[in-house]
Amino acid sequence: MEVFIEVKGLTYVYGKGTAGERQALSGIDLSVSRGEFLAVIGPNGSGKSTLARLINALLLPDEGNVLVNGLNTLREECRWEIRRQVGMVFQNPDNQIVSALVEEDVAFGPENLGLPPDEVRERVDEALSLAGLAEHRRRPPHLLSGGLKIRLAVAGVLAMRPSCILLDEPTSMLDPRGRRSLMKTLARLNREEGITVLLVTHFMEEAAQAGRVLVLDRGRIALCGSPREVFFREDEVLRLGLDLPAAASLARRLKRRGLPVPDGILTVTDMVNFLCR
């Protein structure tokens, strides 16, 4: 498959040359294919958010290179295009809301591209529909729920028509229903629109829904593979201070009690199918 993001020998140090110097990432090599859904997990301080910001060129490598569709983040003239192709959604959506109405907020990006009004309206309509916000277009953003604010941030990114959406722990402030709703939206955008999704999360159930999972530990790649390849290495995952997805954790406990639970249970659907057979 076509490589969309390529990270080579990536190292980043906070406070370099000062008494508080701290190495956040060391020697990271990673390729992300166009249209892939990659989840990034790891304990606190493992470098997840730092990696996200380096991919979006909000931070620049101390060593190594980050290439986005062949564009190097170290080249200043490439950074605007990189940020257009890789739209970023932050943990707190309020930091990305700039307008008094939902539709005006979604229009902000395209308008700043200097696009003609007809194209701006077309992009706003399309983004609101994709994010499931069409019925809220005339509402003030501050009246939206946390889940709808996250969707608004996603819609604002979609209006720029990026090839990739990069989300840094977007569900940490949401209730379970809001998390499920956002994950369904991301899965649909990935599956139906072909948008590459990079999701930084500390919810293992969310990571289990991705196509591939990257596990960081102390700035290095500890594990990488499909959700089943990663989470079935149970002892390694737990040793890193992470949890297993709830269904996999339940299956592990039931096995220890002597129940004939088959290998391979990772999701709630897997567990329901086992219990109902």
Side-chain angles (χ1 to χ4, degrees), residues 38-114:
L38 175 71
V40 182
I41 61 175
N44 289 337
S46 60
K48 303 185 299 295
S49 293
T50 301
L51 177 61
R53 283 161 171 75
L54 284 158
I55 289 173
N56 193 243
L58 295 176
L59 298 174
L60 301 177
D62 288 310
E63 297 178 20
N65 293 278
V66 177
L67 304 177
V68 175
N69 201 19
L71 302 173
N72 195 320
T73 63
L74 290 174
R75 297 180 59 182
E76 185 175 358
E77 67 271 21
C78 294
R79 290 172 199 157
W80 187 92
E81 179 61 18
I82 287 170
R83 291 169 189 150
R84 190 194 68 78
Q85 294 194 34
V86 181
M88 189 157 183
V89 177
F90 295 94
Q91 187 177 43
N92 187 347
D94 288 324
N95 295 335
Q96 294 181 253
I97 294 173
V98 297
S99 300
L101 292 176
V102 164
E103 64 180 1
E104 292 175 354
D105 196 76
V106 177
F108 179 80
E111 285 174 346
N112 278 274
L113 291 177

Side-chain angles (χ1 to χ4, degrees), residues 23-198:
Q23 186 158 302
L25 293 171
S26 179
I28 299 292
D29 292 314
L30 173 69
S31 292
V32 181
S33 298
R34 187 180 294 275
E36 187 173 3
F37 193 143
L38 175 71
V40 182
I41 61 175
N44 289 337
S46 60
K48 303 185 299 295
S49 293
T50 301
L51 177 61
R53 283 161 171 75
L54 284 158
I55 289 173
N56 193 243
L58 295 176
L59 298 174
L60 301 177
D62 288 310
E63 297 178 20
N65 293 278
V66 177
L67 304 177
V68 175
N69 201 19
L71 302 173
N72 195 320
T73 63
L74 290 174
R75 297 180 59 182
E76 185 175 358
E77 67 271 21
C78 294
R79 290 172 199 157
W80 187 92
E81 179 61 18
I82 287 170
R83 291 169 189 150
R84 190 194 68 78
Q85 294 194 34
V86 181
M88 189 157 183
V89 177
F90 295 94
Q91 187 177 43
N92 187 347
D94 288 324
N95 295 335
Q96 294 181 253
I97 294 173
V98 297
S99 300
L101 292 176
V102 164
E103 64 180 1
E104 292 175 354
D105 196 76
V106 177
F108 179 80
E111 285 174 346
N112 278 274
L113 291 177
L115 299 176
D118 287 348
E119 185 171 351
V120 171
R121 282 194 294 272
E122 179 185 336
R123 289 196 181 201
V124 169
D125 291 344
E126 177 186 66
L128 288 172
S129 176
L130 289 172
L133 282 176
E135 64 184 284
H136 301 285
R137 64 185 307 145
R138 298 296 298 171
R139 292 186 65 187
H142 71 274
L143 296 181
L144 300 178
S145 66
L148 290 178
K149 284 182 178 180
I150 287 287
R151 287 196 189 189
L152 176 55
V154 171
V157 168
L158 289 174
M160 303 293 285
R161 294 188 176 168
S163 300
C164 172
I165 299 180
L166 176 56
L167 305 101
D168 188 8
E169 299 197 18
T171 62
S172 61
M173 301 173 65
L174 302 183
D175 59 24
R177 179 179 295 179
R179 292 201 299 269
R180 288 193 297 270
S181 177
L182 178 62
M183 289 302 296
K184 287 181 180 178
T185 298
L186 295 177
R188 178 169 50 80
L189 291 171
N190 175 250
R191 181 178 63 253
E192 297 178 8
E193 305 298 325
I195 293 175
T196 305
V197 176
L198 272 69

